[in-house]
Amino acid sequence: MQAAVAHLADDLLAPLQEHPLLLPSLDVFLQHNGVWGTASRALGVHRHTLRHRMARVAQLTGLDLESAQDRTALLLALLARKIQTPEGRTESTHV
């Protein structure tokens, strides 16, 4: 089962691999419950920058970040990836 979860996470997040700022930005955005202001402050970027990044995430993944179901899927994928990677963090940590 763990392999299936890892495979699903990899499939869902694969389109973001070539964009080093998107995974950590998505992680922070979801950890802040999609609240633009607090998430952008946590990242140290303007909220419009974060909006642009999340629009790019949606475009690349085909998911709707306004959808609770899609946000949950992304959150679970990020959590699965954290379990897989050393130190329990996303592979790319540069903001």
Side-chain angles (χ1 to χ4, degrees):
M1 174 138 166
Q2 191 173 19
V5 171
H7 187 332
L8 180 62
D10 289 342
D11 285 349
L12 198 57
L13 298 175
L16 307 179
Q17 290 300 103
E18 298 297 319
H19 308 276
L21 297 177
L22 295 185
L23 281 171
S25 296
L26 175 62
D27 189 29
V28 171
F29 176 72
L30 294 173
Q31 293 302 323
H32 286 88
N33 299 314
V35 178
W36 298 106
T38 56
S40 62
R41 279 191 295 279
L43 286 165
V45 299
H46 193 277
R47 69 181 180 279
H48 293 299
T49 299
L50 181 58
R51 285 183 183 271
H52 175 74
R53 290 179 185 175
M54 294 305 96
R56 188 74 174 128
V57 167
Q59 179 185 35
L60 290 169
T61 62
L63 297 174
D64 178 5
L65 292 176
E66 296 295 319
S67 162
Q69 183 174 345
D70 287 354
R71 281 176 28 180
T72 300
L74 287 166
L75 180 59
L76 290 173
L78 287 168
L79 290 172
R81 176 160 289 176
K82 285 180 184 181
I83 291 169
Q84 290 177 325
T85 57
E87 301 175 27
R89 57 186 167 81
T90 54
E91 289 177 10
S92 176
T93 58
H94 297 92
V95 181

